[in-house]
Amino acid sequence: MASKIAGKRRVFSGIQPTGSIHLGNYLGAIKQWVDSQEQYDNIFCVVNSHAITTKQDPKELRAKTYELVAMLLACGIDSERSSLFIQSEIDEHAALAWILDCNIPMGDMSRMTQFKDKSNKNPKNINVGLFNYPALMAADILLYQVDGVPVGEDQKQHLELTRDVATRFNRDFGECFTIPSPIIPQIGARVMGLDDPESKMSKSAKGENHAIFLLDSKEAIVRKCKKAVTDSSGIIAFDTERAGIYNLLSIYQALSQQSKEQIEEHFAGKGYGALKLELADMLVATLEPIQKRYEQLSSDRAYLQNILDTSLERVRPIAKATYQKAKELVGLV
């Protein structure tokens, strides 16, 4: 089994190759990954197997998978410091998920709120894979003996299930898995919709001004910021009771890395229009270099494949060793 980098905690993160990557994905996850590359021994995964719990066009899924790889690299994932691979390329993910399935009580799985949410959104496609999704997510994490998992608030429940099943497995069969801890970013962890600041920014929302996507043009970014929902107060301050203005200020803070006090002082006496325009300018300045890098990378499939293959060589031995140990412990060999 590949040893961990001395002095660094190993972390695992995954992201689905569906829809278009938006600002919430970037600030809530990807930017955190990029900024932590020196701090952690990072393993990043495009979780394409999770994507097929909803109906996917096979050709589009393949294309989206490589587009996401290019986008992650464009955002700053460094293949020299982090491993980046495609989930379906390592069969041990699905194999370990079956062993975990056989050790997770139905009651625990039934309490997963994401199954209920996704079932309501896709009532014609409530499949077994959707119900078992948390077991595959647990396998993704436990295969790599990780110490921590960066998660948003909506994924904390799945990580708790992962911790529970790993603890029970170690108790019942013998030491096999590292018990991972959640890593929750303090800034930018939950970006809300610009048109509905009570709802989390989403790939699937229909409103044209709901989300800012990483490939949006300057004109689209400015338009969406100008149309962002605020209120009639006129006071620019971090107030969780005023969801619209709080959301815009939280995005501004995540991009600028300034304190709340600095931001409030900067906008003292100014109107919402000034905040929206400054935020739009900051977004354009942040996203333009990402977009240029993405255009270069997305047209070079051989380069992307080489990075993926190199990462596979690093992480596959970890997955194989963990699965083999779990398999032996439950008596499958």
Side-chain angles (χ1 to χ4, degrees):
M1 184 181 298
S3 60
K4 297 179 182 179
I5 297 174
K8 290 189 176 182
R9 297 172 70 207
R10 180 179 289 161
V11 303
F12 176 94
S13 297
I15 185 168
Q16 286 196 39
T18 54
S20 298
I21 300 300
H22 57 65
L23 187 65
N25 302 133
Y26 177 70
L27 292 180
I30 299 171
K31 187 175 185 295
Q32 312 290 332
W33 302 352
V34 171
D35 292 345
S36 69
Q37 288 182 105
E38 283 299 324
Q39 183 179 358
Y40 300 118
D41 173 9
N42 294 289
I43 297 176
F44 301 123
C45 181
V46 177
V47 289
N48 57 337
S49 296
H50 284 293
I52 63 172
T53 57
T54 56
K55 297 293 185 183
Q56 302 291 336
D57 175 86
K59 289 183 179 179
E60 185 175 344
L61 179 58
R62 289 189 194 97
K64 285 287 186 182
T65 296
Y66 282 92
E67 286 173 13
L68 179 54
V69 171
M71 180 57 76
L72 292 174
L73 294 171
C75 287
I77 297 299
D78 181 353
S79 61
E80 295 296 320
R81 296 184 292 169
S82 302
S83 297
L84 172 62
F85 71 102
I86 297 170
Q87 180 187 26
S88 61
E89 292 297 295
I90 295 182
D91 293 338
E92 283 78 10
H93 285 256
L96 181 60
W98 174 250
I99 292 177
L100 298 182
D101 263 332
C102 296
N103 288 277
I104 299 174
M106 281 289 290
D108 287 1
M109 202 73 92
S110 298
R111 285 190 285 274
M112 296 294 103
T113 57
Q114 277 214 347
F115 171 71
K116 298 171 186 175
D117 293 342
K118 291 187 177 183
S119 296
N120 290 333
K121 291 178 181 177
N122 298 283
K124 295 182 179 179
N125 186 37
I126 304 174
N127 55 68
V128 176
L130 184 63
F131 184 76
N132 283 357
Y133 180 106
L136 181 56
M137 180 177 170
D140 297 337
I141 295 165
L142 297 177
L143 271 176
Y144 299 99
Q145 304 293 344
V146 301
D147 303 293
V149 182
V151 292
E153 289 291 334
D154 57 337
Q155 291 291 343
K156 285 178 68 178
Q157 189 185 37
H158 285 176
L159 185 58
E160 283 305 313
L161 181 75
T162 300
R163 288 168 52 84
D164 289 345
V165 68
T167 300
R168 283 198 301 268
F169 189 99
N170 289 350
R171 179 197 67 202
D172 296 342
F173 298 103
E175 282 298 315
C176 184
F177 304 120
T178 301
I179 310 300
S181 300
I183 301 171
I184 301 174
Q186 298 302 307
I187 298 175
R190 191 171 177 83
V191 178
M192 313 305 283
L194 298 186
D195 61 350
D196 179 10
E198 300 289 346
S199 300
K200 187 178 177 182
M201 190 173 285
S202 168
K203 297 177 181 178
S204 58
K206 302 300 182 184
E208 64 176 359
N209 297 312
H210 172 80
I212 288 175
F213 297 100
L214 266 58
L215 296 180
D216 273 350
S217 66
K218 178 180 179 179
E219 293 73 22
I221 292 170
V222 172
R223 185 192 77 242
K224 292 176 182 182
C225 285
K226 283 183 176 180
K227 290 183 175 294
V229 171
T230 51
D231 55 45
S232 59
S233 168
I235 299 171
I236 299 177
F238 285 87
D239 182 354
T240 56
E241 297 299 313
R242 298 160 56 214
I245 195 68
Y246 184 82
N247 187 42
L248 295 182
L249 286 171
S250 295
I251 295 170
Y252 188 100
Q253 183 182 24
L255 292 171
S256 69
Q257 298 295 300
Q258 296 176 10
S259 69
K260 292 180 179 180
E261 293 74 20
Q262 287 174 316
I263 294 169
E264 288 180 347
E265 182 179 350
H266 174 71
F267 285 107
K270 298 180 182 179
Y272 291 162
L275 170 61
K276 290 179 176 182
L277 286 176
E278 281 200 36
L279 179 58
D281 287 342
M282 191 175 290
L283 284 165
V284 170
T286 299
L287 297 183
E288 275 188 344
I290 292 174
Q291 292 171 359
K292 289 178 181 177
R293 180 66 174 149
Y294 172 80
E295 288 302 317
Q296 295 170 346
L297 291 168
S298 60
S299 62
D300 193 344
R301 179 70 169 266
Y303 176 78
L304 298 178
Q305 193 62 58
N306 181 62
I307 285 177
L308 292 169
D309 291 345
T310 301
S311 288
L312 267 180
E313 290 178 11
R314 288 199 295 259
V315 302
R316 182 175 270 138
I318 309 172
K320 283 186 174 295
T322 300
Y323 176 66
Q324 188 62 32
K325 187 170 186 180
K327 187 178 175 182
E328 291 172 359
L329 285 170
V330 298
L332 291 181
V333 290

